[in-house]
Every structure is written in structure tokens, then in C-alpha cells.
Amino acid sequence: MLKRKIVIDTDPGIDDTIALTVAINSGLNIELVTTVFGNVNLEQTTINALRILEFLGKDIPVAKGVPRALFFDPGIDGSHVHGVDGLGGYPMPYPKTKVVDQVAVEAIKDLIEKSEENITLVALGALTNIALFIKIYPHLLDKIEEIVVMGGSLGAGNVNSAAEFNTFKDPHAAKIVFDSSVKVTVFGLDVTRFCLVSSQKLEENKNKSKVSSMAREILKGYIEENNELMMHDSAPIAYLVHPEIFDIEDKYIDVSTDERAPGALVSGFWTKEKDKKPNVRFAVNVDSKKFEEWLLANLV
Ligand code: RIB
Ligand code: CA
């Protein structure tokens, strides 16, 4: 899994920052980072992606994505969790580097066309860029190894009782991705709420390096429950490095685009869909201890 060619689509975002950091420190081969609206607006998520990569000393191209959802615009962002700057006010220097000329969908297309190997797309925000790629370049889908998604919840939501934030922000895009012909592996709140790191352990590690200090400080403003922090966006990264710590099941999952429950995931047992063949692979369990050990080992 480590040598796969990876594109990370992200809306940094505090937990996106941690995910990008552990992705780089785990040795993943990240060819491109693309940005999407979500936690904060697209301008800010794009600046943040550049800031994070410069802070980490990584020369990875960044391509700017789309500023809004395909159809549904709930009019909310994640700034109440991630701060108005998207990084919880952490004083990460503003970037000197610029985005590439192509927009996200075109940068992904160019990468795929130039690559002999298949490309893995990792989505840590709304799925709008990925859905647009699927619709605009259907003839290139066989060059996508897998789409690995942080999003959705078969259980309770976090943006409301039914929906998780990323699928809520663009339910139509999520439905396009889930129903595509590509291998899609989904990490919903069902497991990401158990992808935890202890704030005490972050505190103990904070003086080890610039990265461990940043991780402690940037997470100080993040939602904490019982001294634990949910590292939602690091779950897909952990899967690419240590797939064995997750249990994953093939399921038929529909994404509600109904305005009464936008972004809610539906997967019935005794419904008319029960004879539907599975459309996604869905993570149903995680070894939280091994997840935390891996995360902390890569936040130094
Ligand atoms: O629900 C968690 C997701 O929403 C994460 O991707 C977090 O960054 C926010 O975008
Ligand atoms: Ca995110």
C-alpha cells in the first residue's frame, strides 16, 4: 500500500492537518494535494494546504478545487470547530508557494494520464472534486486504484442527528462517488469516532519536535471528549498504511439527497435494496490502540 501513487483531496481543517502530517511521515507517495470547500471556504482551505506542506518542508503540488457543492448548499462551514482560519488559530506561517495552474479536476486528470500506475484518491472533505472527475472523465476511471473516503455515518451524525459533515456538505457528490464503478472504501463516524488520540499523550510528546509541538498546539482548540480527540481524517491514512487494523464489509449504501436528511447514509437489511449488490466497502471496526500508537509514532 505504501508505494501507491496518492492524491489527497482536503479541506484543512485541524484534523486534515494531522492527516496530511501522518500521511507524509508514514512515507505515503503523495503526488498531489487538491483542495475543496468545507471546514472553511475554498480560499482558506487552499492557503492552509500550502501552509501545511511548507511547514512540513514538502514540495507537493497543490491544485485548487471547487468553491461550493454541486446543488445543495447548507450555508454552514466548520469554523465553529476549526476556527475562522481553519487551523484553530495556530500561527503556521503563510505560504510563499502558489497553487498549480490547473484546477483540481484537471490536475488529477493530467496525473492519471501521465502515470503508468493507477492512482488512489483519498478524500478528506466534501466529495465534489471527486464527483466532478467521475462525471467529466469516465474513460479514466479504470486508472483509479481506489477512492478512500472519510465521510458519512450509518449511525448518528455530527452535523445533525442523521448526517456526517462531509457527506452533508455535498450529498449529491457523495452519491455519485458511492454509486461509481470505482472501488470505494468509506470510513464513516462509525469507526472514525474510535480513531482517537489522547491529549495527555500529545502533551507528553510535544517537546520532541516541531511537528509534535504543532500537533499538540493545533489540537488544543479541537473538540475533546474525556481527554480524547477524534482524528477522523487520519482513518483513511491509517488504512493505507495498516489496513489490518480495520474490519471492512462490502455493503450497499445509499446517500440521502433528500432535503429532509441531506448526506445521511442508508443501508437497509430488509428493504427493497436488499437484493442490491454492494457498492462500497465500509469500515465497521478499528483497533483503537494500534491506531493511536501509529498516529503518535508519526506525529514526531
Ligand atoms: O466529520 C468529520 C469531517 O468533517 C472531517 O473531514 C473534518 O475535517 C470535517 O471536514
Ligand atoms: Ca476534512
Side-chain angles (χ1 to χ4, degrees):
M1 288 261 195
L2 270 182
K3 286 308 148 205
R4 289 194 197 197
K5 285 188 170 182
I6 307 279
V7 175
I8 297 183
D9 188 70
T10 179
D11 62 334
I14 293 173
D15 63 323
D16 303 69
T17 304
I18 300 298
L20 285 167
T21 302
V22 294
I24 287 164
N25 288 349
S26 294
L28 286 178
N29 180 12
I30 305 165
E31 298 277 337
L32 172 68
V33 169
T34 54
T35 59
V36 66
F37 70 96
N39 286 320
V40 287
N41 66 41
L42 176 68
E43 293 309 315
Q44 193 61 45
T45 62
T46 303
I47 288 169
N48 290 344
L50 293 166
R51 291 166 80 183
I52 295 159
L53 294 174
E54 278 186 29
F55 178 85
L56 297 172
K58 294 302 285 185
D59 181 18
I60 297 171
V62 175
K64 190 173 179 181
V66 290
R68 65 183 58 79
L70 297 179
F71 302 107
F72 175 76
D73 181 354
I76 64 160
D77 63 15
S79 55
H80 58 293
V81 172
H82 298 266
V84 292
D85 74 335
L87 298 188
Y90 181 75
M92 198 176 274
Y94 269 68
K96 298 181 185 62
T97 48
K98 304 285 183 207
V99 293
V100 299
D101 293 339
Q102 302 96 324
V103 294
V105 171
E106 294 307 307
I108 294 170
K109 188 262 288 182
D110 289 352
L111 176 66
I112 287 177
E113 286 186 335
K114 287 176 187 149
S115 173
E116 284 183 17
E117 304 88 353
N118 285 1
I119 303 293
T120 295
L121 305 181
V122 179
L124 308 181
L127 284 162
T128 318
N129 289 328
I130 311 298
L132 283 172
F133 181 86
I134 289 169
K135 287 298 183 186
I136 298 170
Y137 296 110
H139 64 290
L140 293 178
L141 297 187
D142 59 354
K143 291 286 300 288
I144 297 178
E145 183 71 27
E146 184 174 11
I147 301 174
V148 187
V149 174
M150 189 282 132
S153 178
L154 281 179
N158 58 0
V159 71
N160 58 38
S161 59
E164 178 276 330
F165 183 78
N166 289 340
T167 53
F168 176 78
K169 286 291 280 180
D170 195 338
H172 300 85
K175 184 167 178 56
I176 288 168
V177 173
F178 279 42
D179 290 347
S180 73
S181 59
V182 181
K183 176 182 176 184
V184 177
T185 304
V186 180
F187 295 83
L189 297 179
D190 314 79
V191 292
T192 67
R193 65 197 183 98
F194 299 111
C195 294
L196 300 166
V197 65
S198 140
S199 46
Q200 182 188 335
K201 287 178 183 166
L202 288 169
E203 182 68 24
E204 289 163 7
N205 287 355
K206 73 178 181 182
N207 295 322
K208 285 187 177 177
S209 71
K210 176 175 105 162
V211 165
S212 62
S213 170
M214 177 274 287
R216 177 67 191 112
E217 291 307 312
I218 204 168
L219 284 166
K220 274 190 174 162
Y222 195 60
I223 296 176
E224 188 172 316
E225 286 177 18
N226 309 318
N227 297 317
E228 302 272 29
L229 301 134
M230 294 179 196
M231 297 288 88
H232 301 291
D233 285 341
S234 292
I237 308 299
Y239 161 73
L240 289 172
V241 183
H242 291 294
E244 73 281 359
I245 71 171
F246 294 97
D247 295 322
I248 294 173
E249 293 176 359
D250 291 332
K251 287 182 177 292
Y252 174 75
I253 296 183
D254 200 0
V255 183
S256 166
T257 55
D258 184 305
E259 60 191 18
R260 290 167 295 179
L265 300 191
V266 179
S267 180
F269 291 102
W270 309 107
T271 69
K272 64 178 175 16
E273 282 85 11
K274 76 175 167 61
D275 58 352
K276 281 249 186 191
K277 69 179 180 55
N279 58 343
V280 298
R281 302 168 71 243
F282 194 77
V284 294
N285 195 24
V286 60
D287 181 327
S288 297
K289 185 173 181 302
K290 287 183 179 170
F291 172 86
E292 185 182 48
E293 284 168 0
W294 163 80
L295 189 91
L296 288 168
N298 285 285
L299 280 179
V300 291

